[in-house]
Amino acid sequence: MDTKIKIAKRVAKELKDGNLVNLGIGLPTLVSNYIPQGVHVFFQSENGIVGMGPVPKEGMENGDLTNAGAGYVTALPGAMAFDSAFSFSLIRGGHLDVTVLGGLQVDEEGHLANWMVPGKMIPGMGGAMDLVTGAKKVIVAMTHTAKGRAKIVKKCTLPLTSIRKVDLIVTEMCVIEPTEKGLLLKEISEGFTVEDIKNATEAKLIIPEDLKVMEV
């Protein structure tokens, strides 16, 4: 299974019926394709829409329907569009149940860095700071390493997105929950061992006795 699809499928299992959910750009947008049957989720995008459906099939894209990353989206019956002021009032007002964001680094304290690499040009800051601070639950969906370098580190060296800790980290190798005692390894993906994960992770992990298999 493709690594990004694997991560998106696992994240989709975290979403509950009736949740209002924001998906960050890139990998997180795939989550909308894998919502479990019978679960109805309202997807919000900070550029001003609630009611996004799955990513459109090739040839079915509509230039007026995009997410915050300018990726094409679909709109479900009953979807609504609005301005940025209303959109960010939803986020900053604490009305989002879940946000799913990509990550450049997450550290032992559960802090996320995902909005810039110093010296590299970025189009804008985006809404990640507001999302991490305002959403009730923050899930980081990212590959476990980048070019062989650990992305789950002892201390973020890139600028933090927020001082708020994230609630869950999902990678192709495992599921990790930041806790007051440190990073708790909750699930491990088939095909990987605990040693594989330790070798690919700079941060110290808490390994429980009841480690579960990651279901996708």
Side-chain angles (χ1 to χ4, degrees), residues 102-142:
L104 297 173
Q105 292 178 330
V106 182
D107 68 21
E108 277 186 354
E109 296 181 354
H111 293 132
L112 169 68
N114 80 336
W115 69 280
M116 75 168 296
V117 176
K120 289 194 175 183
M121 188 173 178
I122 58 171
M125 297 171 74
M129 293 81 173
D130 296 283
L131 290 162
V132 174
T133 304
K136 295 170 187 168
K137 182 173 183 177
V138 180
I139 300 174
V140 178
M142 66 179 189

PDB file of all heavy atoms in Angstrom, residues 102-142:
ATOM      1  N   GLY A 102       0.062  18.196   8.254  1.00  0.00           N
ATOM      2  CA  GLY A 102       1.354  17.601   7.976  1.00  0.00           C
ATOM      3  C   GLY A 102       2.388  18.141   8.952  1.00  0.00           C
ATOM      4  O   GLY A 102       2.125  19.094   9.692  1.00  0.00           O
ATOM      5  N   GLY A 103       3.564  17.537   8.975  1.00  0.00           N
ATOM      6  CA  GLY A 103       4.584  17.985   9.910  1.00  0.00           C
ATOM      7  C   GLY A 103       5.986  17.886   9.335  1.00  0.00           C
ATOM      8  O   GLY A 103       6.285  16.958   8.575  1.00  0.00           O
ATOM      9  N   LEU A 104       6.818  18.842   9.697  1.00  0.00           N
ATOM     10  CA  LEU A 104       8.247  18.763   9.373  1.00  0.00           C
ATOM     11  C   LEU A 104       8.993  18.122  10.532  1.00  0.00           C
ATOM     12  O   LEU A 104       9.907  17.329  10.337  1.00  0.00           O
ATOM     13  CB  LEU A 104       8.801  20.173   9.113  1.00  0.00           C
ATOM     14  CG  LEU A 104       8.204  20.926   7.917  1.00  0.00           C
ATOM     15  CD1 LEU A 104       8.711  22.367   7.896  1.00  0.00           C
ATOM     16  CD2 LEU A 104       8.556  20.222   6.618  1.00  0.00           C
ATOM     17  N   GLN A 105       8.591  18.482  11.754  1.00  0.00           N
ATOM     18  CA  GLN A 105       9.163  17.897  12.963  1.00  0.00           C
ATOM     19  C   GLN A 105       8.097  17.881  14.072  1.00  0.00           C
ATOM     20  O   GLN A 105       7.238  18.759  14.131  1.00  0.00           O
ATOM     21  CB  GLN A 105      10.349  18.731  13.481  1.00  0.00           C
ATOM     22  CG  GLN A 105      11.584  18.733  12.602  1.00  0.00           C
ATOM     23  CD  GLN A 105      12.676  19.626  13.167  1.00  0.00           C
ATOM     24  OE1 GLN A 105      12.392  20.618  13.846  1.00  0.00           O
ATOM     25  NE2 GLN A 105      13.920  19.278  12.883  1.00  0.00           N
ATOM     26  N   VAL A 106       8.173  16.871  14.929  1.00  0.00           N
ATOM     27  CA  VAL A 106       7.436  16.862  16.195  1.00  0.00           C
ATOM     28  C   VAL A 106       8.438  16.430  17.253  1.00  0.00           C
ATOM     29  O   VAL A 106       9.220  15.500  17.031  1.00  0.00           O
ATOM     30  CB  VAL A 106       6.244  15.888  16.182  1.00  0.00           C
ATOM     31  CG1 VAL A 106       5.499  15.956  17.513  1.00  0.00           C
ATOM     32  CG2 VAL A 106       5.293  16.205  15.038  1.00  0.00           C
ATOM     33  N   ASP A 107       8.430  17.087  18.400  1.00  0.00           N
ATOM     34  CA  ASP A 107       9.449  16.755  19.403  1.00  0.00           C
ATOM     35  C   ASP A 107       8.880  15.986  20.598  1.00  0.00           C
ATOM     36  O   ASP A 107       7.684  15.671  20.648  1.00  0.00           O
ATOM     37  CB  ASP A 107      10.217  18.005  19.831  1.00  0.00           C
ATOM     38  CG  ASP A 107       9.380  19.010  20.619  1.00  0.00           C
ATOM     39  OD1 ASP A 107       8.341  18.627  21.184  1.00  0.00           O
ATOM     40  OD2 ASP A 107       9.779  20.185  20.665  1.00  0.00           O
ATOM     41  N   GLU A 108       9.772  15.680  21.543  1.00  0.00           N
ATOM     42  CA  GLU A 108       9.386  14.840  22.690  1.00  0.00           C
ATOM     43  C   GLU A 108       8.287  15.447  23.534  1.00  0.00           C
ATOM     44  O   GLU A 108       7.587  14.745  24.251  1.00  0.00           O
ATOM     45  CB  GLU A 108      10.618  14.590  23.575  1.00  0.00           C
ATOM     46  CG  GLU A 108      11.499  13.460  23.097  1.00  0.00           C
ATOM     47  CD  GLU A 108      12.627  13.132  24.056  1.00  0.00           C
ATOM     48  OE1 GLU A 108      12.795  13.867  25.062  1.00  0.00           O
ATOM     49  OE2 GLU A 108      13.349  12.159  23.800  1.00  0.00           O
ATOM     50  N   GLU A 109       8.148  16.763  23.457  1.00  0.00           N
ATOM     51  CA  GLU A 109       7.093  17.431  24.225  1.00  0.00           C
ATOM     52  C   GLU A 109       5.798  17.548  23.428  1.00  0.00           C
ATOM     53  O   GLU A 109       4.826  18.124  23.917  1.00  0.00           O
ATOM     54  CB  GLU A 109       7.577  18.812  24.664  1.00  0.00           C
ATOM     55  CG  GLU A 109       8.770  18.755  25.612  1.00  0.00           C
ATOM     56  CD  GLU A 109       9.225  20.132  26.058  1.00  0.00           C
ATOM     57  OE1 GLU A 109       8.685  21.130  25.538  1.00  0.00           O
ATOM     58  OE2 GLU A 109      10.116  20.200  26.901  1.00  0.00           O
ATOM     59  N   GLY A 110       5.795  17.022  22.219  1.00  0.00           N
ATOM     60  CA  GLY A 110       4.583  17.068  21.405  1.00  0.00           C
ATOM     61  C   GLY A 110       4.405  18.352  20.636  1.00  0.00           C
ATOM     62  O   GLY A 110       3.325  18.615  20.102  1.00  0.00           O
ATOM     63  N   HIS A 111       5.442  19.158  20.562  1.00  0.00           N
ATOM     64  CA  HIS A 111       5.358  20.400  19.798  1.00  0.00           C
ATOM     65  C   HIS A 111       5.583  20.132  18.312  1.00  0.00           C
ATOM     66  O   HIS A 111       6.438  19.328  17.931  1.00  0.00           O
ATOM     67  CB  HIS A 111       6.388  21.416  20.309  1.00  0.00           C
ATOM     68  CG  HIS A 111       6.098  21.898  21.682  1.00  0.00           C
ATOM     69  ND1 HIS A 111       7.041  21.963  22.678  1.00  0.00           N
ATOM     70  CD2 HIS A 111       4.934  22.325  22.243  1.00  0.00           C
ATOM     71  CE1 HIS A 111       6.488  22.427  23.782  1.00  0.00           C
ATOM     72  NE2 HIS A 111       5.208  22.651  23.549  1.00  0.00           N
ATOM     73  N   LEU A 112       4.832  20.847  17.498  1.00  0.00           N
ATOM     74  CA  LEU A 112       4.876  20.679  16.044  1.00  0.00           C
ATOM     75  C   LEU A 112       5.591  21.853  15.373  1.00  0.00           C
ATOM     76  O   LEU A 112       5.394  23.015  15.748  1.00  0.00           O
ATOM     77  CB  LEU A 112       3.435  20.600  15.503  1.00  0.00           C
ATOM     78  CG  LEU A 112       3.249  20.672  13.981  1.00  0.00           C
ATOM     79  CD1 LEU A 112       3.816  19.424  13.302  1.00  0.00           C
ATOM     80  CD2 LEU A 112       1.766  20.842  13.641  1.00  0.00           C
ATOM     81  N   ALA A 113       6.405  21.530  14.372  1.00  0.00           N
ATOM     82  CA  ALA A 113       6.971  22.551  13.472  1.00  0.00           C
ATOM     83  C   ALA A 113       6.557  22.145  12.064  1.00  0.00           C
ATOM     84  O   ALA A 113       6.906  21.048  11.612  1.00  0.00           O
ATOM     85  CB  ALA A 113       8.489  22.594  13.604  1.00  0.00           C
ATOM     86  N   ASN A 114       5.798  22.998  11.393  1.00  0.00           N
ATOM     87  CA  ASN A 114       5.317  22.574  10.071  1.00  0.00           C
ATOM     88  C   ASN A 114       5.106  23.714   9.085  1.00  0.00           C
ATOM     89  O   ASN A 114       4.532  23.492   8.027  1.00  0.00           O
ATOM     90  CB  ASN A 114       4.016  21.780  10.200  1.00  0.00           C
ATOM     91  CG  ASN A 114       2.785  22.647  10.377  1.00  0.00           C
ATOM     92  OD1 ASN A 114       2.877  23.788  10.839  1.00  0.00           O
ATOM     93  ND2 ASN A 114       1.640  22.119  10.009  1.00  0.00           N
ATOM     94  N   TRP A 115       5.553  24.926   9.431  1.00  0.00           N
ATOM     95  CA  TRP A 115       5.147  26.025   8.545  1.00  0.00           C
ATOM     96  C   TRP A 115       6.292  26.663   7.768  1.00  0.00           C
ATOM     97  O   TRP A 115       6.045  27.341   6.766  1.00  0.00           O
ATOM     98  CB  TRP A 115       4.390  27.089   9.333  1.00  0.00           C
ATOM     99  CG  TRP A 115       5.222  27.869  10.307  1.00  0.00           C
ATOM    100  CD1 TRP A 115       5.608  27.457  11.543  1.00  0.00           C
ATOM    101  CD2 TRP A 115       5.746  29.171  10.120  1.00  0.00           C
ATOM    102  NE1 TRP A 115       6.360  28.426  12.149  1.00  0.00           N
ATOM    103  CE2 TRP A 115       6.450  29.501  11.299  1.00  0.00           C
ATOM    104  CE3 TRP A 115       5.681  30.107   9.087  1.00  0.00           C
ATOM    105  CZ2 TRP A 115       7.095  30.717  11.459  1.00  0.00           C
ATOM    106  CZ3 TRP A 115       6.326  31.327   9.252  1.00  0.00           C
ATOM    107  CH2 TRP A 115       7.019  31.617  10.430  1.00  0.00           C
ATOM    108  N   MET A 116       7.532  26.448   8.152  1.00  0.00           N
ATOM    109  CA  MET A 116       8.616  27.037   7.373  1.00  0.00           C
ATOM    110  C   MET A 116       9.958  26.384   7.679  1.00  0.00           C
ATOM    111  O   MET A 116      10.149  25.797   8.748  1.00  0.00           O
ATOM    112  CB  MET A 116       8.746  28.549   7.641  1.00  0.00           C
ATOM    113  CG  MET A 116       9.382  28.876   8.988  1.00  0.00           C
ATOM    114  SD  MET A 116       9.846  30.607   9.183  1.00  0.00           S
ATOM    115  CE  MET A 116      11.089  30.790   7.920  1.00  0.00           C
ATOM    116  N   VAL A 117      10.848  26.490   6.688  1.00  0.00           N
ATOM    117  CA  VAL A 117      12.254  26.134   6.877  1.00  0.00           C
ATOM    118  C   VAL A 117      13.033  27.424   6.665  1.00  0.00           C
ATOM    119  O   VAL A 117      12.949  28.018   5.588  1.00  0.00           O
ATOM    120  CB  VAL A 117      12.704  25.069   5.860  1.00  0.00           C
ATOM    121  CG1 VAL A 117      14.199  24.792   6.011  1.00  0.00           C
ATOM    122  CG2 VAL A 117      11.896  23.792   6.026  1.00  0.00           C
ATOM    123  N   PRO A 118      13.745  27.892   7.691  1.00  0.00           N
ATOM    124  CA  PRO A 118      14.469  29.169   7.549  1.00  0.00           C
ATOM    125  C   PRO A 118      15.347  29.193   6.297  1.00  0.00           C
ATOM    126  O   PRO A 118      16.067  28.230   6.010  1.00  0.00           O
ATOM    127  CB  PRO A 118      15.316  29.217   8.824  1.00  0.00           C
ATOM    128  CG  PRO A 118      14.534  28.444   9.824  1.00  0.00           C
ATOM    129  CD  PRO A 118      13.916  27.311   9.031  1.00  0.00           C
ATOM    130  N   GLY A 119      15.246  30.284   5.549  1.00  0.00           N
ATOM    131  CA  GLY A 119      16.044  30.443   4.341  1.00  0.00           C
ATOM    132  C   GLY A 119      15.334  30.007   3.085  1.00  0.00           C
ATOM    133  O   GLY A 119      15.776  30.316   1.974  1.00  0.00           O
ATOM    134  N   LYS A 120      14.235  29.262   3.257  1.00  0.00           N
ATOM    135  CA  LYS A 120      13.473  28.814   2.089  1.00  0.00           C
ATOM    136  C   LYS A 120      12.215  29.664   1.946  1.00  0.00           C
ATOM    137  O   LYS A 120      11.530  29.948   2.929  1.00  0.00           O
ATOM    138  CB  LYS A 120      13.093  27.339   2.221  1.00  0.00           C
ATOM    139  CG  LYS A 120      14.277  26.404   2.070  1.00  0.00           C
ATOM    140  CD  LYS A 120      13.826  24.977   1.872  1.00  0.00           C
ATOM    141  CE  LYS A 120      15.022  24.068   1.601  1.00  0.00           C
ATOM    142  NZ  LYS A 120      14.603  22.673   1.343  1.00  0.00           N
ATOM    143  N   MET A 121      11.917  30.052   0.726  1.00  0.00           N
ATOM    144  CA  MET A 121      10.776  30.919   0.468  1.00  0.00           C
ATOM    145  C   MET A 121       9.467  30.156   0.661  1.00  0.00           C
ATOM    146  O   MET A 121       9.339  29.004   0.240  1.00  0.00           O
ATOM    147  CB  MET A 121      10.844  31.461  -0.961  1.00  0.00           C
ATOM    148  CG  MET A 121       9.796  32.512  -1.256  1.00  0.00           C
ATOM    149  SD  MET A 121      10.042  33.249  -2.885  1.00  0.00           S
ATOM    150  CE  MET A 121       8.656  34.374  -2.940  1.00  0.00           C
ATOM    151  N   ILE A 122       8.509  30.779   1.326  1.00  0.00           N
ATOM    152  CA  ILE A 122       7.184  30.186   1.486  1.00  0.00           C
ATOM    153  C   ILE A 122       6.149  31.189   0.985  1.00  0.00           C
ATOM    154  O   ILE A 122       6.360  32.402   1.055  1.00  0.00           O
ATOM    155  CB  ILE A 122       6.892  29.834   2.964  1.00  0.00           C
ATOM    156  CG1 ILE A 122       7.006  31.074   3.858  1.00  0.00           C
ATOM    157  CG2 ILE A 122       7.805  28.735   3.432  1.00  0.00           C
ATOM    158  CD1 ILE A 122       6.527  30.837   5.266  1.00  0.00           C
ATOM    159  N   PRO A 123       5.023  30.704   0.460  1.00  0.00           N
ATOM    160  CA  PRO A 123       4.009  31.623  -0.072  1.00  0.00           C
ATOM    161  C   PRO A 123       3.276  32.408   0.996  1.00  0.00           C
ATOM    162  O   PRO A 123       2.690  33.450   0.744  1.00  0.00           O
ATOM    163  CB  PRO A 123       3.072  30.691  -0.837  1.00  0.00           C
ATOM    164  CG  PRO A 123       3.239  29.366  -0.177  1.00  0.00           C
ATOM    165  CD  PRO A 123       4.673  29.298   0.237  1.00  0.00           C
ATOM    166  N   GLY A 124       3.271  31.928   2.221  1.00  0.00           N
ATOM    167  CA  GLY A 124       2.559  32.606   3.309  1.00  0.00           C
ATOM    168  C   GLY A 124       2.550  31.709   4.523  1.00  0.00           C
ATOM    169  O   GLY A 124       2.930  30.548   4.461  1.00  0.00           O
ATOM    170  N   MET A 125       2.109  32.261   5.640  1.00  0.00           N
ATOM    171  CA  MET A 125       2.127  31.489   6.883  1.00  0.00           C
ATOM    172  C   MET A 125       0.998  30.465   6.951  1.00  0.00           C
ATOM    173  O   MET A 125       1.071  29.495   7.693  1.00  0.00           O
ATOM    174  CB  MET A 125       2.025  32.435   8.080  1.00  0.00           C
ATOM    175  CG  MET A 125       3.202  33.385   8.186  1.00  0.00           C
ATOM    176  SD  MET A 125       2.960  34.639   9.430  1.00  0.00           S
ATOM    177  CE  MET A 125       3.179  33.677  10.907  1.00  0.00           C
ATOM    178  N   GLY A 126      -0.083  30.709   6.175  1.00  0.00           N
ATOM    179  CA  GLY A 126      -1.211  29.791   6.230  1.00  0.00           C
ATOM    180  C   GLY A 126      -1.941  29.879   7.554  1.00  0.00           C
ATOM    181  O   GLY A 126      -1.795  30.844   8.298  1.00  0.00           O
ATOM    182  N   GLY A 127      -2.721  28.851   7.856  1.00  0.00           N
ATOM    183  CA  GLY A 127      -3.551  28.910   9.055  1.00  0.00           C
ATOM    184  C   GLY A 127      -3.147  27.915  10.121  1.00  0.00           C
ATOM    185  O   GLY A 127      -3.887  27.708  11.086  1.00  0.00           O
ATOM    186  N   ALA A 128      -1.977  27.293   9.984  1.00  0.00           N
ATOM    187  CA  ALA A 128      -1.591  26.228  10.907  1.00  0.00           C
ATOM    188  C   ALA A 128      -1.548  26.706  12.362  1.00  0.00           C
ATOM    189  O   ALA A 128      -1.946  25.974  13.268  1.00  0.00           O
ATOM    190  CB  ALA A 128      -0.243  25.647  10.497  1.00  0.00           C
ATOM    191  N   MET A 129      -1.052  27.929  12.594  1.00  0.00           N
ATOM    192  CA  MET A 129      -0.971  28.415  13.983  1.00  0.00           C
ATOM    193  C   MET A 129      -2.348  28.464  14.626  1.00  0.00           C
ATOM    194  O   MET A 129      -2.540  28.066  15.775  1.00  0.00           O
ATOM    195  CB  MET A 129      -0.355  29.816  14.027  1.00  0.00           C
ATOM    196  CG  MET A 129       1.089  29.869  13.633  1.00  0.00           C
ATOM    197  SD  MET A 129       1.260  29.878  11.850  1.00  0.00           S
ATOM    198  CE  MET A 129       3.014  30.154  11.692  1.00  0.00           C
ATOM    199  N   ASP A 130      -3.314  28.979  13.860  1.00  0.00           N
ATOM    200  CA  ASP A 130      -4.678  29.079  14.384  1.00  0.00           C
ATOM    201  C   ASP A 130      -5.280  27.693  14.578  1.00  0.00           C
ATOM    202  O   ASP A 130      -5.983  27.449  15.560  1.00  0.00           O
ATOM    203  CB  ASP A 130      -5.531  29.888  13.409  1.00  0.00           C
ATOM    204  CG  ASP A 130      -5.038  31.314  13.281  1.00  0.00           C
ATOM    205  OD1 ASP A 130      -5.297  32.117  14.188  1.00  0.00           O
ATOM    206  OD2 ASP A 130      -4.367  31.603  12.287  1.00  0.00           O
ATOM    207  N   LEU A 131      -5.007  26.796  13.640  1.00  0.00           N
ATOM    208  CA  LEU A 131      -5.584  25.457  13.713  1.00  0.00           C
ATOM    209  C   LEU A 131      -5.055  24.673  14.910  1.00  0.00           C
ATOM    210  O   LEU A 131      -5.811  24.044  15.647  1.00  0.00           O
ATOM    211  CB  LEU A 131      -5.285  24.694  12.418  1.00  0.00           C
ATOM    212  CG  LEU A 131      -6.048  25.208  11.190  1.00  0.00           C
ATOM    213  CD1 LEU A 131      -5.398  24.717   9.902  1.00  0.00           C
ATOM    214  CD2 LEU A 131      -7.503  24.755  11.250  1.00  0.00           C
ATOM    215  N   VAL A 132      -3.741  24.706  15.117  1.00  0.00           N
ATOM    216  CA  VAL A 132      -3.166  23.963  16.238  1.00  0.00           C
ATOM    217  C   VAL A 132      -3.648  24.547  17.569  1.00  0.00           C
ATOM    218  O   VAL A 132      -3.907  23.816  18.528  1.00  0.00           O
ATOM    219  CB  VAL A 132      -1.627  23.978  16.175  1.00  0.00           C
ATOM    220  CG1 VAL A 132      -1.020  23.325  17.414  1.00  0.00           C
ATOM    221  CG2 VAL A 132      -1.156  23.242  14.926  1.00  0.00           C
ATOM    222  N   THR A 133      -3.785  25.844  17.611  1.00  0.00           N
ATOM    223  CA  THR A 133      -4.207  26.491  18.853  1.00  0.00           C
ATOM    224  C   THR A 133      -5.704  26.342  19.093  1.00  0.00           C
ATOM    225  O   THR A 133      -6.143  26.175  20.229  1.00  0.00           O
ATOM    226  CB  THR A 133      -3.842  27.989  18.814  1.00  0.00           C
ATOM    227  OG1 THR A 133      -2.436  28.118  18.577  1.00  0.00           O
ATOM    228  CG2 THR A 133      -4.207  28.682  20.117  1.00  0.00           C
ATOM    229  N   GLY A 134      -6.509  26.364  18.011  1.00  0.00           N
ATOM    230  CA  GLY A 134      -7.955  26.444  18.183  1.00  0.00           C
ATOM    231  C   GLY A 134      -8.707  25.131  18.138  1.00  0.00           C
ATOM    232  O   GLY A 134      -9.800  25.029  18.712  1.00  0.00           O
ATOM    233  N   ALA A 135      -8.185  24.113  17.463  1.00  0.00           N
ATOM    234  CA  ALA A 135      -8.936  22.863  17.314  1.00  0.00           C
ATOM    235  C   ALA A 135      -8.926  22.060  18.610  1.00  0.00           C
ATOM    236  O   ALA A 135      -7.975  22.102  19.379  1.00  0.00           O
ATOM    237  CB  ALA A 135      -8.346  22.029  16.181  1.00  0.00           C
ATOM    238  N   LYS A 136      -9.990  21.294  18.819  1.00  0.00           N
ATOM    239  CA  LYS A 136     -10.068  20.482  20.039  1.00  0.00           C
ATOM    240  C   LYS A 136      -9.081  19.316  20.005  1.00  0.00           C
ATOM    241  O   LYS A 136      -8.596  18.876  21.042  1.00  0.00           O
ATOM    242  CB  LYS A 136     -11.497  19.954  20.201  1.00  0.00           C
ATOM    243  CG  LYS A 136     -12.527  21.054  20.436  1.00  0.00           C
ATOM    244  CD  LYS A 136     -13.942  20.518  20.357  1.00  0.00           C
ATOM    245  CE  LYS A 136     -14.932  21.668  20.421  1.00  0.00           C
ATOM    246  NZ  LYS A 136     -16.304  21.239  20.063  1.00  0.00           N
ATOM    247  N   LYS A 137      -8.822  18.781  18.810  1.00  0.00           N
ATOM    248  CA  LYS A 137      -7.881  17.673  18.680  1.00  0.00           C
ATOM    249  C   LYS A 137      -6.990  17.924  17.472  1.00  0.00           C
ATOM    250  O   LYS A 137      -7.477  18.273  16.399  1.00  0.00           O
ATOM    251  CB  LYS A 137      -8.624  16.344  18.507  1.00  0.00           C
ATOM    252  CG  LYS A 137      -7.706  15.126  18.419  1.00  0.00           C
ATOM    253  CD  LYS A 137      -8.517  13.830  18.412  1.00  0.00           C
ATOM    254  CE  LYS A 137      -7.614  12.604  18.395  1.00  0.00           C
ATOM    255  NZ  LYS A 137      -8.389  11.345  18.461  1.00  0.00           N
ATOM    256  N   VAL A 138      -5.673  17.753  17.660  1.00  0.00           N
ATOM    257  CA  VAL A 138      -4.703  17.981  16.584  1.00  0.00           C
ATOM    258  C   VAL A 138      -4.007  16.662  16.259  1.00  0.00           C
ATOM    259  O   VAL A 138      -3.375  16.053  17.119  1.00  0.00           O
ATOM    260  CB  VAL A 138      -3.650  19.033  16.997  1.00  0.00           C
ATOM    261  CG1 VAL A 138      -2.648  19.248  15.856  1.00  0.00           C
ATOM    262  CG2 VAL A 138      -4.322  20.346  17.367  1.00  0.00           C
ATOM    263  N   ILE A 139      -4.153  16.227  15.008  1.00  0.00           N
ATOM    264  CA  ILE A 139      -3.498  15.001  14.543  1.00  0.00           C
ATOM    265  C   ILE A 139      -2.446  15.381  13.510  1.00  0.00           C
ATOM    266  O   ILE A 139      -2.736  16.110  12.565  1.00  0.00           O
ATOM    267  CB  ILE A 139      -4.509  14.033  13.905  1.00  0.00           C
ATOM    268  CG1 ILE A 139      -5.587  13.634  14.915  1.00  0.00           C
ATOM    269  CG2 ILE A 139      -3.793  12.780  13.380  1.00  0.00           C
ATOM    270  CD1 ILE A 139      -6.713  12.790  14.320  1.00  0.00           C
ATOM    271  N   VAL A 140      -1.225  14.896  13.705  1.00  0.00           N
ATOM    272  CA  VAL A 140      -0.165  15.109  12.723  1.00  0.00           C
ATOM    273  C   VAL A 140      -0.063  13.868  11.849  1.00  0.00           C
ATOM    274  O   VAL A 140       0.121  12.755  12.360  1.00  0.00           O
ATOM    275  CB  VAL A 140       1.191  15.387  13.407  1.00  0.00           C
ATOM    276  CG1 VAL A 140       2.284  15.560  12.351  1.00  0.00           C
ATOM    277  CG2 VAL A 140       1.096  16.630  14.274  1.00  0.00           C
ATOM    278  N   ALA A 141      -0.217  14.051  10.542  1.00  0.00           N
ATOM    279  CA  ALA A 141      -0.119  12.952   9.574  1.00  0.00           C
ATOM    280  C   ALA A 141       1.103  13.214   8.713  1.00  0.00           C
ATOM    281  O   ALA A 141       1.122  14.158   7.923  1.00  0.00           O
ATOM    282  CB  ALA A 141      -1.382  12.895   8.717  1.00  0.00           C
ATOM    283  N   MET A 142       2.129  12.383   8.884  1.00  0.00           N
ATOM    284  CA  MET A 142       3.378  12.637   8.154  1.00  0.00           C
ATOM    285  C   MET A 142       4.172  11.354   7.988  1.00  0.00           C
ATOM    286  O   MET A 142       3.976  10.377   8.712  1.00  0.00           O
ATOM    287  CB  MET A 142       4.227  13.665   8.896  1.00  0.00           C
ATOM    288  CG  MET A 142       4.745  13.195  10.242  1.00  0.00           C
ATOM    289  SD  MET A 142       5.774  14.454  11.054  1.00  0.00           S
ATOM    290  CE  MET A 142       6.412  13.500  12.440  1.00  0.00           C
TER     291      MET A 142
END
